[in-house]
Amino acid sequence: MTLTIVLLGATALVGIGLYGALSQQSFVMLMMGLELMLNGALLAIIGFWSLSLGGMPEGQLMAIIVMAVMAVELAIGFALIVAVYRKRQADVTESIDTLRQ
Amino acid sequence: MTDLLVALLAVCAVWTGWRVFRVDSMVRATFSLMLSFVAVGAIGVLLSAPYIGVATVFMMAVEMMVMAIFMVMFMMNPAGLNPMSMVHQHRVSIGAGVLAFFGLAAAILVSRPPSNPVAPDADVVTELGLELLGPSMLIFETAGVTLLATMVGAVILSSRQGRFGSADEGSRPPGLTEGGDPAGQRPDGGGGGHHHHGGHG
């Protein structure tokens, strides 16, 4: 029962994050969508580890890896935003359509 | 009791996550996202993962502070004084989000994962430490090297120019036809669609 609740919450977070990542024009808001999806993944991992893996230590390791992925995404994402802004004065996705057909 | 608390916190995480895309101020959105992470961390603490839960809260608090600074740097409307909605392909995005939710929710409700909760007296933090510096050390160290590479990459990407000046100085994208205009917009701006037709004739 608890596991179902936790997983449903994680699913909702992934869904909201997907909506945000697809719909937001601003780069920073887009990254918040990605963070929300990772948040859902983290919640699902915690739920599975605690309630259905019997406390296998590898489950906690996976949660730590997800946190590292979050940090990498944030750092590289902001660096890319700064680089694009320097080059194009752009802060929305519509401004970088050079490769668009 | 734990069930109720976990359900409450899950609802809280989802609600604050939803507020991220509904509030008018980017800074408020950042703090809303932070509350969502804090709720997830609290669920971790409740579900006998104290280290992961507390680490999530600490890490996300710092991360969201950094994010708030970037918000103020890049946003035209950090204070939320007027309504803000900057979206594209709105219907498709809503559809994709709803589809993802119902698809995954159906998978969860249909499947029966094994019920094997953590023993109440298990020493989970010690186990995690032994795992990190024992069998899974290579994975842990790989994460460390990845973070180092991230730092180097972030500095290179966000620095104004390279060691020998700007990397694309004097460069010009190739033309669509031989000697013709390059496709798309010029990286150096130019402004106003001024094109040289004909080229070398």
Side-chain angles (χ1 to χ4, degrees):
Chain A
M1 183 59 196
T2 319
L3 183 59
T4 311
I5 295 169
V6 169
L7 289 182
L8 282 179
T11 305
L13 284 174
V14 170
I16 295 171
L18 187 64
Y19 158 75
L22 288 178
S23 72
Q24 297 297 313
Q25 286 183 308
S26 146
F27 290 131
V28 193
M29 292 299 282
L30 190 155
M31 278 179 50
M32 300 186 107
L34 295 179
E35 291 273 324
L36 262 182
M37 281 201 271
L38 284 172
N39 194 14
L42 186 66
L43 185 55
I45 288 172
I46 290 176
F48 271 126
W49 169 81
S50 167
L51 297 163
S52 131
L53 274 181
M56 228 163 94
E58 286 90 343
Q60 296 193 69
L61 179 74
M62 181 127 175
I64 287 187
I65 296 292
V66 168
M67 276 191 236
V69 170
M70 277 180 185
V72 170
E73 182 245 319
L74 196 85
I76 293 292
F78 278 133
L80 279 173
I81 292 174
V82 171
V84 169
Y85 188 76
R86 286 236 167 93
K87 194 52 82 187
R88 304 276 171 87
Q89 301 292 308
D91 64 354
V92 290
T93 47
E94 264 75 11
S95 315
I96 43 171
D97 54 359
T98 308
L99 285 180
R100 183 180 242 177
Q101 281 292 312
Chain B
M1 185 61 197
T2 311
D3 258 15
L4 193 67
L5 267 179
V6 166
L8 218 63
L9 282 167
V11 169
C12 181
V14 172
W15 169 249
T16 47
W18 173 241
R19 291 301 293 164
V20 168
F21 301 111
R22 279 284 149 261
V23 290
D24 284 333
S25 145
M26 298 271 178
V27 176
R28 268 177 237 156
T30 314
F31 284 110
S32 186
L33 184 58
M34 187 172 89
L35 285 180
S36 179
F37 278 117
V38 169
V40 168
I43 291 178
V45 173
L46 275 179
L47 292 183
S48 57
Y51 179 78
I52 301 294
V54 174
T56 307
V57 171
F58 277 134
M59 195 171 139
M60 289 311 142
V62 175
E63 234 181 82
M64 290 307 127
M65 288 305 139
V66 174
M67 212 158 194
I69 293 173
F70 272 85
M71 289 294 178
V72 178
M73 273 168 67
F74 280 101
M75 288 311 122
M76 56 295 295
N77 182 23
L81 295 176
N82 37 352
M84 171 194 82
S85 176
M86 295 167 57
V87 290
H88 53 188
Q89 49 182 11
H90 204 209
R91 290 223 187 105
V92 179
S93 318
I94 292 177
V98 170
L99 195 70
F101 173 71
F102 281 111
L104 289 170
I108 289 165
L109 293 176
V110 166
S111 63
R112 306 219 168 278
S115 177
N116 183 10
V118 185
D121 56 344
D123 214 352
V124 290
V125 181
T126 311
E127 277 176 16
L128 174 64
L130 291 176
E131 177 73 24
L132 283 184
L133 297 181
S136 298
M137 195 181 209
L138 189 62
I139 301 170
F140 189 49
E141 294 295 323
T142 310
V145 175
T146 309
L147 287 173
L148 176 66
T150 303
M151 283 193 273
V152 175
V155 169
I156 289 173
L157 276 174
S158 55
S159 70
R160 194 171 287 277
Q161 60 176 20
R163 191 171 164 193
F164 301 106
S166 191
D168 59 352
E169 194 178 324
S171 73
R172 188 168 184 273
L176 281 177
T177 57
E178 201 176 341
D181 279 331
Q185 64 191 46
R186 310 273 182 81
D188 49 6
H194 175 69
H195 290 292
H196 296 286
H197 287 291
H200 294 291

